[in-house]
Amino acid sequence: MQETAAPVCTTPPLAYTLPAHYYTSQEIFEQEKKTIFARSWVCVMHKSQVAENNQYATAQVAGENIFVVRGRDGVLRAFYNVCPHRAHELFADGAGKAKNVITCPYHAWSFGLDGKLIHVRNAENVPGFCKDNAGLTPVRVEEFCGLVFVNLDMDAKPLAELAAGLNDEIRARCPDVDKLVPAHKLSYEMKANWKVVVDNYLECLHCQTAHPALVESIRMETYKHEVRGLYTSQVGQTRSGSDAFTYDSDAPNTDFAAYWLWPNVTLNVLPGDGNYGVFYMFPVDADTTIQHFEFYFRDSTPTAEQEQLIEYYKNVLKPEDLSIVESVQRGLKSRGYRNGQGPLLVTDDKTSAIGEHGVQHFQQMVLDALAA
C-alpha cells in the first residue's frame, strides 16, 4: 500500500483525499471555525427574510450569534447579537420586525438599526462616558443571487467581486432570482462531517450507482463539471417527463445547473421556469451537519410540476445522499480504511462528469485555509 507524504498531492495522477482525522477530529473542526467560517462569506438566509425595513433575522456563524437587519433607510446591515454593556443577547433566535430602536432586555441600552448607541440610563452621571465608542459590533453583509451572506472578517474582499462569474451564470439561467419566494423547506440532521457532505456534492462519479433516477433524468453525455476558483459548476441537459423533472417544452431553462460556493452552500437552478434550490450546510460539530434545502419559486404555492420536483428531492435524492454521507462518516473511523486516505480519480479532463477534480479542489482549499 502506497503511503502519501502530504495530506493532498496536487499532481493529478497522485491525488489523495484528506486524511480521515480531518473529518473526525473535534480539534480540527474548532480550527475550521476560526480559519474557514470566520473568514469566509457564509450564506445564512434568503433575502425575503429581511426584505422590508425593520425586518431582522438571527443566524449562527463560526459559533457566533449574529443578526441581520434592514434599517429604516433600506440599508441591510449585520451585527454581533450581543450588547456591548454586559453581553446580553439583543434578540432571541428567530426573525421578526424590530422597532425603530433595539433595546437590550437586560439594562435597556438602546441602539438604532444602524448600530449606533442612542440612550443609556444614568450615563450622564458617568464622567467621560462616550456613546460614540459603545455601538454594536458590525459584521460584513452582502446580498448575492437572492441570498444573504455574512463575513466576520471585516477586511474580506466583496463576495460580488470574488464570485462575479457565479452571479452572472445564475442570473443568465434564472433572471428573476431576486423575485422568487420561499415555497418549501426540507431539513436534515446528518451524522456526517460538513466536508463529507461537500465532497459528495462535488462529484458525480457516484451518480450511476447511487442516483439512478437522477442519471435517467440528465443526458450524462452533456454533463460537465468545471472548477472556477471560489465555486464550481455542474451542468447537464435534462429529459422532461422523468422521475425528477417535468417542464413545458418552451421552458426558459432545461438544464440541471448545480453550483457549489465556498465553503458550504450550493445554488441550484433547476429545469423549468424560475425553479431555484439552495442547500444550506451548517456544521454543528466534527460528526454532525444540519442541512436545509429550500425551494424558491415565483409563487409560494408550487405548481404540479414543482410539487413533483420537491417530492423527488424529499423521497429519492436526499435519502440517497443521507445514506451515503453517514456511511462514509462511519467508514472514516474504520481501521480498514488503510492509511486513512484514498486515491482520487483526477484526470487531465477538467470538465469530466465522472472525475473527482472538484473534490480535490475543495480539499486543497481546506488545507490552504487551515494553514493560513
Side-chain angles (χ1 to χ4, degrees), residues 95 149 237:
F149 290 76
Q237 297 174 7

Side-chain angles (χ1 to χ4, degrees), residues 85-133:
H85 175 215
R86 296 272 297 281
H88 197 286
E89 293 172 330
L90 298 169
F91 290 110
D93 288 346
K97 197 141 188 177
K99 297 180 180 179
N100 292 332
V101 173
I102 300 170
T103 302
C104 178
Y106 194 11
H107 298 100
W109 279 36
S110 299
F111 306 86
L113 300 186
D114 59 0
K116 293 180 181 179
L117 181 61
I118 295 175
H119 176 72
V120 175
R121 188 176 58 180
N122 201 38
E124 66 276 10
N125 296 318
V126 179
F129 182 84
C130 180
K131 290 196 298 183
D132 294 340
N133 298 325

Side-chain angles (χ1 to χ4, degrees), residues 35-284:
T35 61
I36 295 178
F37 293 99
R39 298 179 182 175
S40 301
W41 287 99
V42 177
C43 186
V44 292
M45 65 190 70
H46 188 256
K47 65 178 295 183
S48 63
Q49 289 187 256
V50 286
E52 299 177 6
N53 291 359
N54 291 57
Q55 276 190 312
Y56 75 90
T58 64
Q60 295 284 329
V61 177
E64 295 285 354
N65 191 347
I66 63 103
F67 71 91
V68 179
V69 62
R70 192 170 298 276
R72 298 170 63 188
D73 54 3
V75 176
L76 193 66
R77 299 178 178 88
F79 302 95
Y80 287 88
N81 188 17
V82 62
C83 181
H85 175 215
R86 296 272 297 281
H88 197 286
E89 293 172 330
L90 298 169
F91 290 110
D93 288 346
K97 197 141 188 177
K99 297 180 180 179
N100 292 332
V101 173
I102 300 170
T103 302
C104 178
Y106 194 11
H107 298 100
W109 279 36
S110 299
F111 306 86
L113 300 186
D114 59 0
K116 293 180 181 179
L117 181 61
I118 295 175
H119 176 72
V120 175
R121 188 176 58 180
N122 201 38
E124 66 276 10
N125 296 318
V126 179
F129 182 84
C130 180
K131 290 196 298 183
D132 294 340
N133 298 325
L136 302 181
T137 304
V139 172
R140 292 280 299 280
V141 62
E142 281 191 31
E143 295 178 70
F144 184 81
C145 294
L147 307 167
V148 176
F149 290 76
V150 299
N151 197 324
L152 304 186
D153 181 2
M154 296 302 291
D155 296 322
K157 292 183 179 180
L159 178 59
E161 175 185 330
L162 294 171
L166 175 58
N167 184 57
D168 294 341
E169 289 191 48
I170 293 288
R171 294 183 184 281
R173 296 183 180 279
C174 189
D176 294 334
V177 65
D178 290 316
K179 299 178 182 179
L180 304 181
V181 297
H184 195 82
K185 180 178 180 179
L186 303 173
S187 295
Y188 305 88
E189 180 178 283
M190 296 177 157
K191 295 300 181 183
N193 185 274
W194 71 278
K195 296 187 297 299
V196 172
V197 182
V198 175
D199 284 346
N200 181 61
Y201 186 89
L202 287 178
E203 50 89 358
C204 207
L205 177 63
H206 71 282
C207 292
Q208 192 73 39
T209 51
H211 303 308
L214 181 66
V215 171
E216 284 296 316
S217 303
I218 299 175
R219 302 182 189 278
M220 294 305 293
E221 69 275 10
T222 70
Y223 198 89
K224 293 186 180 299
H225 185 181
E226 298 182 73
V227 171
R228 303 175 184 271
L230 204 66
Y231 71 98
T232 69
S233 66
Q234 298 180 68
V235 179
Q237 297 174 7
T238 62
R239 298 182 176 91
S240 181
S242 62
D243 290 344
F245 311 122
T246 298
Y247 48 84
D248 294 334
S249 58
D250 60 349
N253 177 53
T254 59
D255 288 342
F256 171 82
Y259 302 92
W260 164 78
L261 176 60
W262 169 265
N264 64 324
V265 69
T266 73
L267 289 63
N268 306 271
V269 183
L270 304 170
D273 186 8
N275 296 337
Y276 191 38
V278 177
F279 287 146
Y280 301 82
M281 289 172 268
F282 297 112
V284 176

